[in-house]
Amino acid sequence: MNHMPPKSPPLSPRQAVQRALAGRWPGRLLRGELAIDDAFVRDFVGLEGEAIPWGARRAVLQRLRHDLAVVSFSHGWGSPVQPDQEDALFLLREWRAESDLFVFALIDGPFSAAVKGWGWEQALMRLARPTPDVPRFMAEAVVEQTEFVQRLAALGADGILLGDDIAYRRSAYIQPAALRQSYFPYLTLLVEACQQAGLPVVFHSDGNLWEVLVDLVATGINGIQGLEPGAGMSLAGVRARVGPELCLWGNVDVGWLAQSRPAAEITDEVQRLLAPLAGTPLILGSSGGLMAGLPGSNVEAMVNAA
């Protein structure tokens, strides 16, 4: 009599994302977004009023079959408004305790810390031609973020999203040779600190990253989020450059998705993007998040395409 081995139980969303960030195919395509604008949440679930209860946010992620939640502790160096830390900590605890989703905490990387500390023009000047105070400032920024990461780990974060917009549509803001001196060593230290705290790291940047892609991988990151198609980034091209193990996340163009178009067209485009990455760790999502005015039907067509 033949005895079939028992089937393993399906992975929870949290377990599936953990496996993908460890460089392994989790057995299915994963879904998630860098950010979901409050206005999108209101429109998507038909909510009125200023306050958005956590239950409404959960309803959006359930309807879109997301495997992860992102709690933002920074809106990046270019935003005039930053998240309230206590509100973010509340959301972190709620997602961790009341869901089986993988919970990312989005924080600043060293580049964002420099721009916030010195201002845009001064940061570019100092990082492009490192002055004696650059190593001290960047090291102190890493120490400060390391202490915050350790706190986030204790509160239940599953992973870290490092938000560091280091590029625009044509290239990195600073020559790669200068970044290798003034930026990447400190990014590497922060990635190592996160991983030592038990938290895998996904790096986010808009823009054209081709010239620094190898440098990013060398920092030890577990994944890259963004991959802006308008800047020439492509899932297939990045996969060919970085190998089969790094988790890739994003690449559906937000501007394209915002236009009125039939679901079948969205399905065809998403399947075209995903086909070259079959069997490798991948998170389906837009390149920049779900913004106000984005048609909910188009977003549902995107996540259902796979």
Side-chain angles (χ1 to χ4, degrees):
M1 183 176 180
N2 293 328
H3 295 280
M4 296 294 291
K7 289 185 177 181
S8 300
L11 297 176
S12 70
R14 183 172 291 135
Q15 291 169 330
V17 176
Q18 287 170 338
R19 181 168 293 188
L21 295 179
R24 294 179 289 163
W25 165 240
R28 62 180 177 85
L29 182 70
L30 306 178
R31 299 168 176 84
E33 289 291 342
L34 169 72
I36 303 179
D37 189 86
D38 284 356
F40 179 88
V41 173
R42 292 190 185 94
D43 290 344
F44 197 64
V45 299
L47 186 68
E48 296 182 357
E50 288 293 323
I52 298 179
W54 178 77
R57 300 182 190 278
R58 178 172 61 179
V60 171
L61 268 59
Q62 288 176 334
R63 187 167 157 187
L64 296 177
R65 294 186 288 160
H66 281 192
D67 294 283
L68 59 91
V70 176
V71 178
S72 179
F73 289 86
S74 172
H75 292 326
W77 54 259
S79 176
V81 179
Q82 296 297 329
D84 180 87
Q85 188 170 116
E86 290 306 313
D87 289 345
L89 290 171
F90 168 79
L91 289 173
L92 174 61
R93 290 189 291 263
E94 287 295 293
W95 284 120
R96 192 60 176 85
E98 303 296 334
S99 82
D100 62 356
L101 303 181
F102 188 97
V103 185
F104 279 104
L106 172 59
I107 67 172
D108 287 332
F111 185 86
S112 295
V115 175
K116 286 182 176 180
W118 288 325
W120 172 246
E121 292 184 0
Q122 279 293 315
L124 289 191
M125 290 176 57
R126 296 185 188 199
L127 295 176
R129 295 183 177 180
T131 54
D133 58 338
V134 168
R136 184 182 71 253
F137 179 92
M138 298 295 271
E140 289 176 352
V142 169
V143 169
E144 182 176 341
Q145 288 298 69
T146 296
E147 293 173 351
F148 188 44
V149 164
Q150 291 168 345
R151 182 185 177 193
L152 293 172
L155 291 171
D158 295 304
I160 295 295
L161 249 172
L162 285 181
D164 247 4
D165 283 331
I166 62 172
Y168 69 120
R169 290 201 164 194
R170 294 181 59 185
S171 67
Y173 289 118
I174 297 170
Q175 286 293 321
L179 288 175
R180 291 174 190 129
Q181 181 179 356
S182 63
Y183 171 69
F184 282 113
Y186 304 98
L187 179 62
T188 301
L189 289 173
L190 185 53
V191 170
E192 290 175 351
C194 294
Q195 293 169 342
Q196 288 172 2
L199 304 181
V201 179
V202 173
F203 178 88
H204 164 80
S205 176
D206 297 329
N208 187 326
L209 299 173
W210 287 118
E211 291 183 323
V212 295
L213 198 55
V214 172
D215 300 283
L216 285 170
V217 175
T219 66
I221 55 174
N222 302 92
I224 296 180
Q225 199 287 330
L227 305 175
E228 184 183 355
M233 307 300 295
S234 71
L235 284 174
V238 173
R239 175 60 76 214
R241 183 78 63 89
V242 304
E245 296 182 352
L246 190 72
C247 185
L248 304 183
W249 174 7
N251 197 233
V252 178
D253 187 82
V254 176
W256 178 86
L257 196 62
Q259 298 170 17
S260 177
R261 56 184 75 250
E265 182 182 349
I266 295 173
T267 296
D268 290 345
E269 175 64 11
V270 171
Q271 291 180 348
R272 181 191 67 80
L273 290 174
L274 301 182
L277 285 82
T280 65
L282 175 70
I283 302 173
L284 173 63
S286 68
S287 58
L290 305 182
M291 301 294 105
L294 195 61
S297 59
N298 285 11
V299 177
E300 288 190 283
M302 175 185 72
V303 300
N304 291 333

